[in-house]
Each structure stands twice: as structure tokens, then as C-alpha cells.
Amino acid sequence: MFHPPHHTASLCLERLVAGPCWASVTVLASHLPSWPSGRQMMLTQSVRRAQPGKRTSGIFAKPADPLDSPGEWTTWFNIDHPGGRGDYERLDAIHFYYGHQVCPRPLRLEARTTDWIPAGSTGQVVHGSPLEGFWCLNREQRPGQNCSNYTVRFLCPPGSLRQDTEHSLWSLWSPWSKCSAACGHPGVQTRTRTCLAETVSLCNDATEEGRLCMEQACSACDLTCPMGQVNADCDACMCQDFVLYGVVSLPGGAPASGATVYILTKTPKLLTQTDSSGRFRVPGLCPDGKSILKITKTKFAPIRLTMPKTRLKAATIKAEFMRAETPYIVMNPKAKARRAGQSVSLCCKATGKPKPDKYFWPSLSIPFRYHNSTLLHPSLYKHESKLVLRNLQRDQAGEYFCKAQSDTGAAKSHVARLTVIAPDETPCNPTPESYLIQLPHDCFQNATNSFYYDVGRCPVKTCAGQQDNGIRCQDAVENCCGISKTEEREIQCSGYTLPTKVAMECSCQRCTETQSIVRGRVSASDNGEPMRFGHVYMGNSRVSMTGYKGTFTLHVPQDTERLVLTFVDRLQKFVNTTKVLPFNKKGSAVFHEIKMLRRKEPITLEAMETNIIPLGDVAGEDPVAELEIPSKSFYRQNGEPYTGKVKASVTFLDPRNISTATAAQSDLNFINDEGDTFPLRTYGMFSVDFTGEATSESLNVGKVKVHLDSTQVKMPEHLPMMKLWSLNPGTGLWEEEGDFKFESQRRNRREDRTFLVGNMEIRERRLFNLDVPESRRCFIKVRAYRSERFLPSEQMQGVVVSVINLEPRTGFSSNPRAWGRFDSVITGPNGACLPAFCDDQSPDAYSAYVLASLAGEELEAVESSPKFNPNAIGVPQPYLNKLKYRRTDHEDPQAKKTAFQISMAKPRPNSAEESNGPIYAFENLQACEEAPPSAAHFRFYQIEGDRYDYNTVPFNEDDPMSWTEDYLAWWPKPMEFRACYIKVKIMGPLEVNVRSRNMGGTHRQTVGKLYGIRDVKSTRDRDQPNVSAACLEFKCSGMLYDQDRVDRTLVKVIPQGSCHRVSVNSMLHEYLVNHLPLAVNDNTSEYTMLAPLDPLGHNYGIYTVTDQDPRTAKEIALGRCFDGTSDGSSRVMKSNVGVALTFNCVERQVGRQSAFQYLQSTPARPSPASTVRGRAPSRRQRSSQGGQRWRRGAASLRFSGVAQQPLSN
């Protein structure tokens, strides 16, 4: 019976669960994994899960003798490794590398692992055909398992393989070497050949071959011993009258029993094992000072010792283990750009115990699009932790990463993109992209029918700029695309013109220097009590300290990729907490709320008795697990047994309580054996602290059992994968401690529940986790906006977006049973992609609770009730209904509006309405990151405040790299941001809009030119009904970007409405009088001053703060201004303290014009009352006085003539 192709595939997949299944299926490329090349292709694939012991047939050939094969077998090919998505041994890629060494249309295919296991005996899902090659996908394997590393060969028709000719790229093979084995033993012979091509990269085949051999005749041993005699294997020297004694201990001094001792010869030889006291005795070794001993023990780094050199008959050595740590990348390769013909170096560095001794450099290079990680061979690219590529070619552009490996595991670095352009190619697109800025409320543009104006911008990216000849890990000069040419334009507003600078051209230039800063507040998760005067550690170094309110500030060291901080409470109220905090790598500050668990009050245990400690105390629920500590399990740090009373504090973070999610330790990730980072789903974390009651000394515990109640695991597929983990506080990664197994017998006769049991020891690590690796992952696309208009130009960067992965109760997706993971990311210029668990079979298997904050302020999510508007939410129907979007106030209008919850329904690959976001499959991260604003996404927004900022030279305060060198830049230095505020008091029944207009005052390049304007609405005093006040930003005086001379900014403070000035702070007035020039203020409806150079305080009504982040500087200064002090902070306006200016604003009569309306309807004219005093004008200045104009209110200050001299200060 004929089935269409997709029916055949379905039948095959149904049968896979019961037994082996074969099907030859023709499918479209969309049914297969997306290849990096992105091209459409037709593939005929064979799919099977191979089972050991089962009969195989089909396209995969059985191991064959070449003599019995009807054709010619090729050599074995292995062009890929199973990292990333899997192992791809594609025929077209093999053709690309090896050309004539494989025929165009092979007859058969044979695949084996590099361990020489046939593909049919691995039990893995594999694919292949003679005309397409072989591939294995990691996502199709059993949970926690990746593909093996496969090698393939093809059977070609007779005579179809070309033989070497006189035009061969290779020399003849050398003679076979001597057999490597001792007489009578099997060994290996090798032979080599040399590449004859001018370019070594043309020679892609092996330079060395080997074969098994058996040495027939025994010859005399050529090993010479300076001491003792040669052993029978002729690989070591033996001294019969010497005895070596050893003592091996664990960290802290406890004996290391069961450790294995080897001597390193050509192959390590087992000597002995340590006894229960950690001691060993080995006779017959020679004390030559050269022989190397290796001592190993599970979970500890191997110890290497050199034999002591002595003439005595015995010697004793001592050694102490260190806990083994998997490799951890501390330096990642950098993204770089070069021109063809130049050279580049990519570097990475890893730590670990033991230290990694091997580095590999896979490439995700663009031309090698048929495989996902081409391993660069060390014989062609000499590398260890540093990869050097010389005489670059265009086809070497792409993505590179390094893999560090040691005896304890592997780790992979972040991917670095290498851009290679032609020698004459422009490194940056010279045409700026669109960038809209918002105009003032009285500057509507009829041409665009909006309050926005396109000023353009250059996307900040690495470019191939000028470099010196040095080949360094870090380029001496980092180059970025930036604005190289601007054009000054005037925007026509209602009654006045507004100058602006528009980007006209982009070019490659030196990157703007930035500084990444992390700020935060540390408090208790239960009641918000701050952790006062606690310590903040990065590794073993203390890097910061919390204040009285629990706040901290940290400057992130350069080259930091993963910021791991540990918060330590000196008062021991809270559990020490390790967090992995996202930060803005482009610079600026990010604010984090750090929540800590309160320590459980200690209980008293008897060390000589068995003790049971429950884990989890949710009302009406059984504990998640129990700790069983057998009698006589406690011991001191030096290994001595402890028999007294024990003070035990065990604090459990219960995932059934959603309020504890933000207190989760680290970011719940681990590194597998291949070096890939994978997430964990937690079923609870517990912190332990055991001390002696009398001495308060810290105690270790051995033979601890953890009994996990299986009924608490609602996903049955998680039970066989459950493991015990401990946290490495230095890396923030979880490392495996042991497995769980079902208990063989019930703990008591009345117990109906089934338990899993795991074994562990408590030594130097004190934080543990009950987790399962979870491979069902997706990404959520989220953007944050400045307002509900949701304009792409109003996206905010530096917003912390967090997600709590929830496990809903059956049938109630909005009512979570437990949480399983907590993640946070930072929004960039294109939003953020938030990792979360998802499921393609059951849309309600997981749900996600998403929230966002900026500088500690929670942002609002789009409403879901009473209005449910897909256009506002940002996700079209019908996918939105499937995701079940609900804002937190959906059912309770009194609840917060700052988060939303969705069902994590993984998008179906063949569904058009689900292929454009906002949920992306894990392998489609790049599509998520590069999705345009028009693609589906979820939204947060900031409640629009009563303030407005306008800069003549556009600058995005979320992105310091958008800073442009210009005399009219509001912030003259990108690494130093100085915020200035003046406090204005308003007497009157209404809140009033107040504007500052900021122009150049004394600098020859900026005099009379606009820096920017600021608008803010006054805030009503809580205690006085007819009083309000405004904290108004103005541009600080000081050096401009060239650091040549200062400019005293000319600041006009203009309240809206019928206002007149009542008073000026006497200390401020005295300062301005004593620091000439002085602006005359004959117009009582406003106030003009040349801004002070000194950082005056609250006594003057001026508030100045300097910081490396503009938002932080403004936030601190604003808090002080509200409070009316120079060192305090408040969000409640205090109108009667720290005031600089006071205006009386009466309620305007009906029909009477406001000051703004008057200025818009009245032509600008000279105003002698606004001239600047301090120096008599020169003859030339007097001659041009007719061209000078002081415009009042919203009008700009103009000086005619290019020869105008600035006023001296």
C-alpha cells in the first residue's frame, strides 16, 4: 500500500518506541534541522534508533572486507564533532574538503564511532544515505545524551576513485617505523608523508598513518638506571631495599581512604591504594628525584608527586587532595574585524582543578556551512589557548570558540565573530539608519503628523579599522562604527526654532570607552529587611560592601563575561547567597534586587544518634525530602570523630512557595562532559551549617542520606534523572554530587509513599540542590518601552527582565503548584531573549511568570482585562490565545500590574502564525536576537512621567556607546556624567510645568547655541495645599569634550503660566555675584543664570552628582533634591527645604495668555534686560550688538558674526 512521504514518517516514528524501524522518506528541508546555510534542499533520509544485538539492514553497510566488496572503499572520513547540534558527516562537505578522494555517487555507506563501534550498535538515532552522507542530531537522543563522534567511509563503483598521479599534492610515504611494543607484545608502526603544495591548507588528508604490529624477536633493553635495576617491562627502575611511605588527606586534614597510587611510565602502573587512615606503603621504587607518582580519588583533582631524592632506605611523603573542579572559562575570545591579508589572534583561558591541559578551537565558519563545528587542526593552525590566523581570507570569517579540557571535564567559551572584509571594502555602512527623537509638546510636525524627528544613527558594531602590527589577544585600539559627519538643522516649532544635529555619515573610528556598573539592594525575601554592612565577594576577593539600607555598587572588571557574586551576612541572619548577575557589557549601570533567605534557627543534635531533618515546611503539605544523618557521622576538619552535641541550621528553599523564587542561588546551570552549559530544574535547595555546641567549630558530615518523596515530583519523566548537586561559589555553577535510586524497602510498615535515596558527604561545600537536567527549552522575546506608544525608537536598554518557570496544577494553568527555575537578562537595543522551559506536546506543561524593572522601579505589562488587545500586547491571534496571556491583575484589579503569565507552548515548526515569535525554539536563538520590532514580542512600558528631555546632539542614556564627540553634547565625557538640578518652589493652587533652556555661555565654540531643554511638572506638597515644587535638571558648567576650557552654561528657568519670581536663594545669589559674569534678571517671569562651576549643595538649592552612569547620577541628584539635603534621598517632595527659586503662580484668568502662548504669538525682539554683565563689551562687540538677540522663554540665544569672542570668567 502506498503512503505519502509524511505518512511514512509518521508510521516509522510510531514504531520507534516498540522496536527498530526503517523507512525511506522524502521530505522537504523544513522537516529537517535548519542548516546554517539556510538553503532549501530535498533530502532522502533514513531514520532509525539502532539497538545492540538487533539485525541491521538497509543503506548502512555491515563491516566488510574490501576484497569481498563490489567496488572500492574510500578511506575513513571524520570532518565534524558532536558538539552543538550534533555530528554531521555530509557527503557534499566531504567533497568540499577531499575532492577526488570520494566518488560523486557512492553505492554504500559505513559508519562507526571513533571508538570503532558500528553505528548500528550504539543505540542512538542516526540518519544516512550514500548520496547525502551521515548525520546524528543531539536533540533526538535520550535525555542527557549527545551523539557519539562518528567516522564514515563510502563504497564507490570500481575504478571511480582517482589514483595519485605525478601532480599529487603529497610526497611518497616514508618506510614503516619500528614496532612500538616490547618483544612478544602487539604494538603500532607509523609512517608519514609531506605536503608538497605551496599552501599547506590545500592538503586536507592525513600526514601520518599507523598499523598494528607484533615484534617477534626480543632484543636487549636499552633503559639505563642511575640507581637500582631495570624492571621486567623495561620501563622503570626498581630499588629492592627502598620503601616509600605516604600519607594522603582530604581538604581540611581528614584521611583520604581508598585513593589509588600510580607510577607514571609509558602507561600508568597501579602500585597500591590508601588504607582507612589514608596511608600507603610501596617497596621497590627508586628515590631518584625523577620518577613521578600520581594519586587519584573520585571527586578530587589528581595529585602528582616527584619521588624524593635520598640515600636513606625509606622516605615519607604527604599530600592533600583538592576538590576537583571542572574547567571554567575566565577569558573568552573577543569579536574582531580585519581586512583580508591581515592577521588576528583569538584567545581564551580556563581554570579548574586540575588546570586544563588541552585547548581545541572549533569554528562555525561561514563557508563550512554543512557542519556546525569544524575543528581546526593543530598541525595547520598552531594553537593552545591562543589561536593565530595569518594572512586571513574572506572565507575564514565566521564564528569561533574554544574548548578547554582536563581530566575532570570540559568547558566551552562564548562564540566570537570574526569579520573579514576585502582590502578596499568600506568597513561600515556609510548611510545612517533611522532614529526618531521625541520633540517638545509644543513642536508638532505637520510633515510627519507626529512629535518625532528622524536624526539618524550609526549602529555600534566592531569594524576593521587601523591596527598596528602586533598580534594580541586584546586589540590595542578597538574600532566601532560611529557618526563621522553631522548636519545642523532647525526644526520649526510653535513660534520658535529648535536646532538639532542629524547624522549624515558613518565611518570606522575608535570605540567610546565605557564602564559597566552593577548596583543593587540586598534584602530578606520574607519581609524586605536589608542586609546591613554585609560583604560582597567576587571569587575570593571582597569587592564591595552593603550600606545601612542594603545597597551596594560594583564596577565590573573589564573582560568579565559572567559576573558571579557572593553576598555574605556578617551578622549571620541570612544564608550566604551566590548570584550570577547580568550586566550591560556596552557600559552603563544595571540595578538588581538581591533577595536572601533567612537562616533557620539552629536545633541541637546528638552526634552519637541517628538524626532526621525534614526539608520543606509548606502548610498542609508533606516535606519534599528528609536528611538522614547516621550516628557517628560528624567529624572535625582534621578528620577526628566528633561525639558531642551539634548545633544544626538547615535552611530549605521550597519551590512550592513561589515567593522564594527570587532567592534562588546562582543561575541553575551546569556544564556537561562536552563542555556545553545546560539548565537545571530545581525541586529544592538546602543550605547546611553544623557546628560544635561548645566550641562553635565547623563540622563535616559523612554518609548523609537524602530521602526524596517521589510524590512531590509531578513530572514522572524527571524521576530517573534526579540528581544531587552542590554549588561551586567561585563559578556559580552546579556540580554533580550523586544519583538518586528508589529505596529497596519501605522505611516503616505504615509508609505508603515511595522515596528516592541519594548519598552525599558534607565537607567544604554547604549548599546543595535536588535537580534534574531539563532539555525542553525555548526563548521568550521581550521589549521594554518608554511609553504605551510602543515605538521602536523608544525602546529602553538596561532593563532587568526576569522569568520564573512555573509548574501549573493539573487543569489550572494560572494556579502554579511549584516553581522550577529563575532567570534574568538585560534588554539591549533589540530587546531581550529570555530562556524558559517549554513543551511541544503539552502547551501547559510549563508556564512562565515574567516581570521587568529599571533602576529598582517595576515596569508595567500590557493589560489583559477588561481590554484584551493583541496589537497592544504585541502578539497576534490565534497564537496569543494558545499562550494564555494574563497580566497579574487579570482577576484581581487591586493586584500589581507589573508582570504577566503565559503558557510555554513551544512553536510548531510548520505553523506560519507561530514561526514569527514571541516564543522561539532553543536552537533559534539567533532568530530571536535579530527579530525586527515588527515581529511578535511581549511588552513592558514605563509610566510616562511629567518630564521631557531634549538634546541638540542626540544621545541615548541607556547606551553610552551612542555618545558623539561634539561641543554641544549634553554630557561632555562618556566615562564621567555630572548631573545638576535646581529646586524651584511654586506658590499657587496648580501644579506647573517648568522648563530649563540651556545654552553655551562663555565658550567660543558654543556661545549662544542650544545644548538642550528640560521640562518637568511640579509635585504638590502633601502637607500644604497651595504649594508645589519641581526638581529641574540643567546642564552643568565645566569642560567640554575637548577638555580645553570651561563653559559657564547659560540657564533659563521658565515656569509655565502667570508666574512671577518671588525670591532667589541668598547664598546662590551671592555665589553668582562673586563669580562673574552675571546674568541680569529684570524679567520676573523667569530666572537666568550662568551655571555655577562648583558642586554647590542644598544650602544653595543646587544638587550636583557625578557618576559613571548618567541614569544613576540623575537618580541620586533627584533623590537629594526631593529630600532637600546633600546626602539624603526621598521620593516625597519636601517643598520648604533646599529651595533655590520661588515663584508665585496665580491661577490664570479665562482668556488670558500664558507665558508660553505669549512667546509663541509675539515676534522675537532684543531685550536689553537680559544682557550679561561682568565685562564691558569691546568696540567690535558693540558694533555687532545689533545682530545679537536674547529671545525670551522658548526662543533661542543668538550671537551674530563668526568672530564673536566668548565672555571671560
Side-chain angles (χ1 to χ4, degrees), residues 196-219:
L196 303 179
E198 293 183 2
T199 304
V200 177
S201 59
L202 295 176
C203 298
N204 295 312
D205 212 343
T207 59
E208 184 175 8
E209 284 186 347
R211 70 180 183 185
L212 294 176
C213 60
M214 179 72 73
E215 190 68 44
Q216 298 298 330
C218 287
S219 58

PDB file of all heavy atoms in Angstrom, residues 196-219:
ATOM      1  N   LEU A 196      53.289  18.735  -0.450  1.00  0.00           N
ATOM      2  CA  LEU A 196      54.165  19.385  -1.426  1.00  0.00           C
ATOM      3  C   LEU A 196      53.562  20.679  -1.966  1.00  0.00           C
ATOM      4  O   LEU A 196      54.213  21.375  -2.745  1.00  0.00           O
ATOM      5  CB  LEU A 196      54.441  18.431  -2.605  1.00  0.00           C
ATOM      6  CG  LEU A 196      55.065  17.081  -2.240  1.00  0.00           C
ATOM      7  CD1 LEU A 196      55.255  16.236  -3.483  1.00  0.00           C
ATOM      8  CD2 LEU A 196      56.392  17.283  -1.520  1.00  0.00           C
ATOM      9  N   ALA A 197      52.340  21.017  -1.560  1.00  0.00           N
ATOM     10  CA  ALA A 197      51.701  22.226  -2.084  1.00  0.00           C
ATOM     11  C   ALA A 197      52.305  23.466  -1.446  1.00  0.00           C
ATOM     12  O   ALA A 197      52.822  23.428  -0.327  1.00  0.00           O
ATOM     13  CB  ALA A 197      50.197  22.181  -1.812  1.00  0.00           C
ATOM     14  N   GLU A 198      52.245  24.578  -2.178  1.00  0.00           N
ATOM     15  CA  GLU A 198      52.756  25.841  -1.627  1.00  0.00           C
ATOM     16  C   GLU A 198      51.892  26.284  -0.455  1.00  0.00           C
ATOM     17  O   GLU A 198      52.382  26.874   0.513  1.00  0.00           O
ATOM     18  CB  GLU A 198      52.768  26.919  -2.713  1.00  0.00           C
ATOM     19  CG  GLU A 198      53.766  26.649  -3.829  1.00  0.00           C
ATOM     20  CD  GLU A 198      53.791  27.787  -4.839  1.00  0.00           C
ATOM     21  OE1 GLU A 198      53.071  28.771  -4.631  1.00  0.00           O
ATOM     22  OE2 GLU A 198      54.530  27.681  -5.836  1.00  0.00           O
ATOM     23  N   THR A 199      50.592  26.047  -0.514  1.00  0.00           N
ATOM     24  CA  THR A 199      49.685  26.402   0.570  1.00  0.00           C
ATOM     25  C   THR A 199      49.311  25.140   1.335  1.00  0.00           C
ATOM     26  O   THR A 199      48.677  24.239   0.786  1.00  0.00           O
ATOM     27  CB  THR A 199      48.408  27.064   0.030  1.00  0.00           C
ATOM     28  OG1 THR A 199      48.787  28.198  -0.756  1.00  0.00           O
ATOM     29  CG2 THR A 199      47.495  27.510   1.170  1.00  0.00           C
ATOM     30  N   VAL A 200      49.707  25.097   2.602  1.00  0.00           N
ATOM     31  CA  VAL A 200      49.507  23.880   3.386  1.00  0.00           C
ATOM     32  C   VAL A 200      48.033  23.544   3.514  1.00  0.00           C
ATOM     33  O   VAL A 200      47.641  22.374   3.595  1.00  0.00           O
ATOM     34  CB  VAL A 200      50.156  24.061   4.776  1.00  0.00           C
ATOM     35  CG1 VAL A 200      49.899  22.835   5.645  1.00  0.00           C
ATOM     36  CG2 VAL A 200      51.651  24.308   4.626  1.00  0.00           C
ATOM     37  N   SER A 201      47.162  24.562   3.502  1.00  0.00           N
ATOM     38  CA  SER A 201      45.738  24.310   3.708  1.00  0.00           C
ATOM     39  C   SER A 201      45.120  23.487   2.590  1.00  0.00           C
ATOM     40  O   SER A 201      44.017  22.955   2.740  1.00  0.00           O
ATOM     41  CB  SER A 201      44.983  25.640   3.843  1.00  0.00           C
ATOM     42  OG  SER A 201      45.158  26.427   2.682  1.00  0.00           O
ATOM     43  N   LEU A 202      45.794  23.335   1.447  1.00  0.00           N
ATOM     44  CA  LEU A 202      45.275  22.504   0.364  1.00  0.00           C
ATOM     45  C   LEU A 202      45.389  21.027   0.682  1.00  0.00           C
ATOM     46  O   LEU A 202      44.710  20.197   0.074  1.00  0.00           O
ATOM     47  CB  LEU A 202      46.019  22.809  -0.944  1.00  0.00           C
ATOM     48  CG  LEU A 202      45.835  24.227  -1.518  1.00  0.00           C
ATOM     49  CD1 LEU A 202      46.698  24.414  -2.745  1.00  0.00           C
ATOM     50  CD2 LEU A 202      44.370  24.463  -1.856  1.00  0.00           C
ATOM     51  N   CYS A 203      46.266  20.673   1.603  1.00  0.00           N
ATOM     52  CA  CYS A 203      46.474  19.268   1.968  1.00  0.00           C
ATOM     53  C   CYS A 203      45.571  18.945   3.144  1.00  0.00           C
ATOM     54  O   CYS A 203      45.905  19.261   4.289  1.00  0.00           O
ATOM     55  CB  CYS A 203      47.935  19.013   2.313  1.00  0.00           C
ATOM     56  SG  CYS A 203      49.069  19.318   0.926  1.00  0.00           S
ATOM     57  N   ASN A 204      44.436  18.316   2.868  1.00  0.00           N
ATOM     58  CA  ASN A 204      43.464  18.059   3.919  1.00  0.00           C
ATOM     59  C   ASN A 204      43.506  16.628   4.426  1.00  0.00           C
ATOM     60  O   ASN A 204      42.784  16.289   5.349  1.00  0.00           O
ATOM     61  CB  ASN A 204      42.050  18.378   3.416  1.00  0.00           C
ATOM     62  CG  ASN A 204      41.877  19.849   3.125  1.00  0.00           C
ATOM     63  OD1 ASN A 204      42.239  20.675   3.934  1.00  0.00           O
ATOM     64  ND2 ASN A 204      41.327  20.162   1.954  1.00  0.00           N
ATOM     65  N   ASP A 205      44.317  15.757   3.810  1.00  0.00           N
ATOM     66  CA  ASP A 205      44.347  14.364   4.205  1.00  0.00           C
ATOM     67  C   ASP A 205      45.357  14.168   5.337  1.00  0.00           C
ATOM     68  O   ASP A 205      46.064  15.086   5.730  1.00  0.00           O
ATOM     69  CB  ASP A 205      44.702  13.490   2.992  1.00  0.00           C
ATOM     70  CG  ASP A 205      44.017  12.131   3.086  1.00  0.00           C
ATOM     71  OD1 ASP A 205      43.580  11.793   4.198  1.00  0.00           O
ATOM     72  OD2 ASP A 205      43.939  11.437   2.069  1.00  0.00           O
ATOM     73  N   ALA A 206      45.437  12.927   5.828  1.00  0.00           N
ATOM     74  CA  ALA A 206      46.304  12.621   6.964  1.00  0.00           C
ATOM     75  C   ALA A 206      47.778  12.685   6.559  1.00  0.00           C
ATOM     76  O   ALA A 206      48.159  12.297   5.449  1.00  0.00           O
ATOM     77  CB  ALA A 206      45.981  11.228   7.495  1.00  0.00           C
ATOM     78  N   THR A 207      48.607  13.170   7.459  1.00  0.00           N
ATOM     79  CA  THR A 207      50.060  13.194   7.238  1.00  0.00           C
ATOM     80  C   THR A 207      50.750  12.008   7.895  1.00  0.00           C
ATOM     81  O   THR A 207      51.942  11.812   7.704  1.00  0.00           O
ATOM     82  CB  THR A 207      50.657  14.494   7.810  1.00  0.00           C
ATOM     83  OG1 THR A 207      50.371  14.552   9.207  1.00  0.00           O
ATOM     84  CG2 THR A 207      50.066  15.712   7.121  1.00  0.00           C
ATOM     85  N   GLU A 208      49.979  11.221   8.672  1.00  0.00           N
ATOM     86  CA  GLU A 208      50.573  10.088   9.373  1.00  0.00           C
ATOM     87  C   GLU A 208      49.574   8.943   9.408  1.00  0.00           C
ATOM     88  O   GLU A 208      48.375   9.160   9.582  1.00  0.00           O
ATOM     89  CB  GLU A 208      50.972  10.486  10.802  1.00  0.00           C
ATOM     90  CG  GLU A 208      51.690   9.391  11.572  1.00  0.00           C
ATOM     91  CD  GLU A 208      52.164   9.870  12.938  1.00  0.00           C
ATOM     92  OE1 GLU A 208      51.784  10.986  13.318  1.00  0.00           O
ATOM     93  OE2 GLU A 208      52.909   9.138  13.590  1.00  0.00           O
ATOM     94  N   GLU A 209      50.056   7.711   9.223  1.00  0.00           N
ATOM     95  CA  GLU A 209      49.226   6.522   9.292  1.00  0.00           C
ATOM     96  C   GLU A 209      49.861   5.529  10.273  1.00  0.00           C
ATOM     97  O   GLU A 209      51.068   5.554  10.497  1.00  0.00           O
ATOM     98  CB  GLU A 209      49.086   5.842   7.922  1.00  0.00           C
ATOM     99  CG  GLU A 209      48.144   6.542   6.977  1.00  0.00           C
ATOM    100  CD  GLU A 209      47.931   5.768   5.693  1.00  0.00           C
ATOM    101  OE1 GLU A 209      48.717   4.817   5.438  1.00  0.00           O
ATOM    102  OE2 GLU A 209      46.991   6.086   4.976  1.00  0.00           O
ATOM    103  N   GLY A 210      49.030   4.669  10.832  1.00  0.00           N
ATOM    104  CA  GLY A 210      49.544   3.653  11.743  1.00  0.00           C
ATOM    105  C   GLY A 210      48.944   2.297  11.451  1.00  0.00           C
ATOM    106  O   GLY A 210      47.896   2.184  10.809  1.00  0.00           O
ATOM    107  N   ARG A 211      49.629   1.223  11.932  1.00  0.00           N
ATOM    108  CA  ARG A 211      49.114  -0.132  11.796  1.00  0.00           C
ATOM    109  C   ARG A 211      49.630  -0.973  12.949  1.00  0.00           C
ATOM    110  O   ARG A 211      50.645  -0.653  13.584  1.00  0.00           O
ATOM    111  CB  ARG A 211      49.528  -0.749  10.469  1.00  0.00           C
ATOM    112  CG  ARG A 211      51.000  -1.061  10.355  1.00  0.00           C
ATOM    113  CD  ARG A 211      51.336  -1.664   9.000  1.00  0.00           C
ATOM    114  NE  ARG A 211      52.754  -2.031   8.928  1.00  0.00           N
ATOM    115  CZ  ARG A 211      53.334  -2.483   7.822  1.00  0.00           C
ATOM    116  NH1 ARG A 211      52.620  -2.611   6.705  1.00  0.00           N
ATOM    117  NH2 ARG A 211      54.620  -2.815   7.835  1.00  0.00           N
ATOM    118  N   LEU A 212      48.877  -2.017  13.258  1.00  0.00           N
ATOM    119  CA  LEU A 212      49.281  -2.909  14.327  1.00  0.00           C
ATOM    120  C   LEU A 212      50.477  -3.758  13.889  1.00  0.00           C
ATOM    121  O   LEU A 212      50.635  -4.073  12.705  1.00  0.00           O
ATOM    122  CB  LEU A 212      48.120  -3.823  14.729  1.00  0.00           C
ATOM    123  CG  LEU A 212      46.898  -3.146  15.367  1.00  0.00           C
ATOM    124  CD1 LEU A 212      45.805  -4.177  15.609  1.00  0.00           C
ATOM    125  CD2 LEU A 212      47.293  -2.461  16.668  1.00  0.00           C
ATOM    126  N   CYS A 213      51.313  -4.116  14.871  1.00  0.00           N
ATOM    127  CA  CYS A 213      52.473  -4.954  14.562  1.00  0.00           C
ATOM    128  C   CYS A 213      52.759  -5.867  15.756  1.00  0.00           C
ATOM    129  O   CYS A 213      52.282  -5.625  16.861  1.00  0.00           O
ATOM    130  CB  CYS A 213      53.696  -4.087  14.247  1.00  0.00           C
ATOM    131  SG  CYS A 213      54.179  -3.002  15.621  1.00  0.00           S
ATOM    132  N   MET A 214      53.513  -6.894  15.536  1.00  0.00           N
ATOM    133  CA  MET A 214      53.930  -7.824  16.588  1.00  0.00           C
ATOM    134  C   MET A 214      55.429  -8.049  16.435  1.00  0.00           C
ATOM    135  O   MET A 214      55.899  -8.564  15.421  1.00  0.00           O
ATOM    136  CB  MET A 214      53.175  -9.149  16.466  1.00  0.00           C
ATOM    137  CG  MET A 214      53.584 -10.172  17.511  1.00  0.00           C
ATOM    138  SD  MET A 214      52.983  -9.770  19.159  1.00  0.00           S
ATOM    139  CE  MET A 214      51.244 -10.154  18.940  1.00  0.00           C
ATOM    140  N   GLU A 215      56.193  -7.602  17.441  1.00  0.00           N
ATOM    141  CA  GLU A 215      57.658  -7.775  17.393  1.00  0.00           C
ATOM    142  C   GLU A 215      57.963  -9.230  17.739  1.00  0.00           C
ATOM    143  O   GLU A 215      57.571  -9.721  18.799  1.00  0.00           O
ATOM    144  CB  GLU A 215      58.322  -6.832  18.384  1.00  0.00           C
ATOM    145  CG  GLU A 215      59.821  -6.756  18.231  1.00  0.00           C
ATOM    146  CD  GLU A 215      60.224  -6.091  16.918  1.00  0.00           C
ATOM    147  OE1 GLU A 215      59.641  -5.074  16.540  1.00  0.00           O
ATOM    148  OE2 GLU A 215      61.132  -6.638  16.280  1.00  0.00           O
ATOM    149  N   GLN A 216      58.662  -9.921  16.829  1.00  0.00           N
ATOM    150  CA  GLN A 216      58.905 -11.341  17.007  1.00  0.00           C
ATOM    151  C   GLN A 216      60.085 -11.608  17.938  1.00  0.00           C
ATOM    152  O   GLN A 216      59.978 -12.364  18.881  1.00  0.00           O
ATOM    153  CB  GLN A 216      59.165 -11.998  15.647  1.00  0.00           C
ATOM    154  CG  GLN A 216      57.978 -11.909  14.691  1.00  0.00           C
ATOM    155  CD  GLN A 216      56.757 -12.631  15.227  1.00  0.00           C
ATOM    156  OE1 GLN A 216      56.889 -13.610  15.960  1.00  0.00           O
ATOM    157  NE2 GLN A 216      55.582 -12.120  14.884  1.00  0.00           N
ATOM    158  N   ALA A 217      61.194 -11.004  17.645  1.00  0.00           N
ATOM    159  CA  ALA A 217      62.413 -11.332  18.408  1.00  0.00           C
ATOM    160  C   ALA A 217      62.616 -10.318  19.520  1.00  0.00           C
ATOM    161  O   ALA A 217      62.432  -9.132  19.340  1.00  0.00           O
ATOM    162  CB  ALA A 217      63.616 -11.332  17.473  1.00  0.00           C
ATOM    163  N   CYS A 218      63.023 -10.838  20.693  1.00  0.00           N
ATOM    164  CA  CYS A 218      63.309  -9.960  21.813  1.00  0.00           C
ATOM    165  C   CYS A 218      64.748  -9.469  21.721  1.00  0.00           C
ATOM    166  O   CYS A 218      65.671 -10.238  21.454  1.00  0.00           O
ATOM    167  CB  CYS A 218      63.133 -10.717  23.134  1.00  0.00           C
ATOM    168  SG  CYS A 218      61.401 -11.025  23.533  1.00  0.00           S
ATOM    169  N   SER A 219      64.882  -8.195  21.935  1.00  0.00           N
ATOM    170  CA  SER A 219      66.219  -7.615  21.945  1.00  0.00           C
ATOM    171  C   SER A 219      66.529  -7.095  23.333  1.00  0.00           C
ATOM    172  O   SER A 219      65.657  -6.987  24.188  1.00  0.00           O
ATOM    173  CB  SER A 219      66.297  -6.467  20.921  1.00  0.00           C
ATOM    174  OG  SER A 219      65.337  -5.487  21.216  1.00  0.00           O
TER     175      SER A 219
END
